[in-house]
């Protein structure tokens, strides 16, 4: 079947934008109709040629959906121009800008699928927030205290603008804590999970992949086997959530389109439970999830264009 759904992409030069281009180039129903950039027109990302254009220019280009893969704080002008044009394509925003806005659907399909289906304005969850919510959702009704989450991300999560958090020399043999109170993803998970969390993010010297170690106290004690069974039942029909007994390694997450949940450890007598989650921050933490949301919004099978077996070649 020839591609018949046209996608506009803003921010293709970033790490996530590049991953999304690669996914869309292999999608049987979708194609990138244009990729906007503020500078550097004529450069290529994959087979896509970047075009210099303003939000107003883009708003008058006919597409079925627009994906905004921009840094935080830059979505508003593009959304405003699209709204003013009267064309009303589906918009998927990958930044944090719309995750706290009630008029936008929060696009975590495993927990919010029916609201995403057919939606016109979708906020893509954050990478850490995706893993935290999938690692906590089956326990939500059992939580007795505020969960504590220790997170470590590869430095691609810091974007392409130079900083200490994406400087390989400064990260060599290092683990860099940051934003240890009131991180955006802490507020995001608290809002959408409906339960407060304490989140302590760190960045490490690997390029991609996230590890989250979640520690919490439950209203009733569960054994490790009972935790494994609870999560297995919750995600039995979710192809992009893999539940394992062993502790997942972040080195195995790179290039994978799913989340792995495992490492279940328990002190049933005191009600304590520990869960470990790994995922590729650029894929299920961003681009793969955006494609899930595009598929659902545009009436395509949710997993179309998403490889399900093993890692893909990473860029």
């Amino acid at each position: 079947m020839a591609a018949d759904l046209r996608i506009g992409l803003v921010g293709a030069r970033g790490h996530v934008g590049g991953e999304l281009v690669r996914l869309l180039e292999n999608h049987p129903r979708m194609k990138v109709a244009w990729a906007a950039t503020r500078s550097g027109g004529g450069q290529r990302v994959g087979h896509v040629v970047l075009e210099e254009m303003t939000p107003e220019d883009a708003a008058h280009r006919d597409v079925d959906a627009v994906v905004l893969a921009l840094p935080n704080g830059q979505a508003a002008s593009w959304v405003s121009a699209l709204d003013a044009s009267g064309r009303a394509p589906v918009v998927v925003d990958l930044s944090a800008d719309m995750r706290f806005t009630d008029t936008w659907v929060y696009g975590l399909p495993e927990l919010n699928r029916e609201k995403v289906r057919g939606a016109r304005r979708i906020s893509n969850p954050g990478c850490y927030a995706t893993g935290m919510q999938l690692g906590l959702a089956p326990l939500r009704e059992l939580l007795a205290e505020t969960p504590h989450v220790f997170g470590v991300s590869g430095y691609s999560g810091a974007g392409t603008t130079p900083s200490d958090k994406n400087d390989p020399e400064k990260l060599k043999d290092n683990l860099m804590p940051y934003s240890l109170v009131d991180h955006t993803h802490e507020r995001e998970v608290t809002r959408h999970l409906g339960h407060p969390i304490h989140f302590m993010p760190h960045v490490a010297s690997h390029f991609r992949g996230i590890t989250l170690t979640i520690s919490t106290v439950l209203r009733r004690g569960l054994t490790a086997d009972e935790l494994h069974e609870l999560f297995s039942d919750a995600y039995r029909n979710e192809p992009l959530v893999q539940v394992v007994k062993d502790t997942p390694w972040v080195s195995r997450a790179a290039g994978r389109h799913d989340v792995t949940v495992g490492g279940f450890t328990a002190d049933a007598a005191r009600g304590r439970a520990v869960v470990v989650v790994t995922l590729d921050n650029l894929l299920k933490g961003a681009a793969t999830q955006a494609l899930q949301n595009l598929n659902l919004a545009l009436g395509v099978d949710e997993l179309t264009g998403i490889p399900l077996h093993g890692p893909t070649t990473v860029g």
Side-chain angles (χ1 to χ4, degrees):
M1 180 182 294
D4 59 343
L5 295 169
R6 295 165 54 82
I7 311 299
L9 178 57
V10 185
R13 286 198 299 176
H15 296 315
V16 172
E19 295 291 352
L20 193 52
V21 167
R22 282 186 276 275
L23 285 170
L24 289 171
E25 285 184 334
N26 291 297
H27 197 290
R29 291 285 309 277
M30 299 181 190
K31 64 180 179 182
V32 178
W34 50 259
T37 183
R38 289 171 296 178
S39 61
Q43 297 182 30
R44 285 183 175 272
V45 177
H47 297 296
V48 174
V49 179
L50 303 181
E51 300 179 57
E52 292 188 23
M53 63 178 78
T54 66
E56 290 71 26
D57 294 333
H60 290 90
R61 302 282 292 271
D62 188 26
V63 288
D64 298 283
V66 174
V67 180
L68 304 177
L70 294 166
N72 294 344
Q74 297 185 19
S77 61
W78 293 88
V79 174
S80 178
L82 290 165
D83 286 344
S85 72
R87 293 179 180 272
V90 167
V91 181
V92 178
D93 178 32
L94 275 72
S95 76
D97 294 6
M98 304 303 173
R99 294 175 194 156
F100 302 88
T101 303
D102 290 337
T103 54
W104 285 60
V105 173
Y106 187 67
L108 183 47
E110 288 77 9
L111 303 182
N112 210 24
R113 180 170 287 112
E114 292 312 310
K115 289 186 178 180
V116 178
R117 202 182 302 277
R120 309 302 295 176
R121 295 289 185 268
I122 302 166
S123 60
N124 217 59
C127 51
Y128 277 129
T130 294
M132 284 190 276
Q133 288 175 88
L134 293 174
L136 281 166
L139 300 173
R140 182 165 36 196
E141 302 307 317
L142 295 173
L143 296 175
E145 297 180 1
T146 302
H148 291 254
V149 185
F150 182 91
V152 180
S153 175
Y155 64 86
S156 60
T160 56
T161 301
S163 72
D164 287 352
K165 290 186 291 183
N166 58 20
D167 184 333
E169 286 303 311
K170 291 181 179 178
L171 289 167
K172 184 179 180 181
D173 301 323
N174 194 12
L175 185 66
M176 192 179 295
Y178 67 98
S179 301
L180 297 175
V181 176
D182 199 36
H183 188 282
T184 298
H185 291 157
E186 180 177 280
R187 289 183 277 114
E188 178 183 344
V189 174
T190 294
R191 173 185 174 88
H192 293 287
L193 188 69
H195 197 287
I197 65 159
H198 294 320
F199 176 45
M200 296 158 288
H202 301 67
V203 61
S205 59
H206 59 279
F207 178 69
R208 58 197 299 155
I210 282 174
T211 300
L212 296 161
T213 302
I214 301 168
S215 176
T216 192
V217 176
L218 306 179
R219 297 183 187 279
R220 61 182 177 87
L222 297 178
T223 66
D225 285 341
E226 288 172 328
L227 286 168
H228 177 259
E229 183 179 0
L230 178 66
F231 277 78
S232 295
D233 287 345
Y235 296 126
R236 190 173 307 281
N237 298 314
E238 297 295 346
L240 296 185
V241 182
Q242 180 184 193
V243 178
V244 300
K245 283 193 172 183
D246 294 339
T247 301
W249 292 0
V250 71
S251 60
R252 297 170 180 165
R256 294 192 64 94
H257 297 271
D258 54 8
V259 172
T260 304
V261 184
F264 302 105
T265 309
D267 181 344
R270 294 192 295 172
R272 188 176 174 207
V274 178
V275 178
V276 179
V277 179
T278 60
L279 69 156
D280 188 316
N281 54 297
L282 301 179
L283 293 177
K284 179 55 177 165
T288 302
Q289 193 141 259
L291 186 53
Q292 282 182 272
N293 287 323
L294 282 173
N295 283 335
L296 286 166
L298 294 171
V300 180
D301 182 86
E302 179 182 336
L303 300 177
T304 302
I306 300 173
L308 296 181
H309 304 292
T312 58
T313 301
V314 295

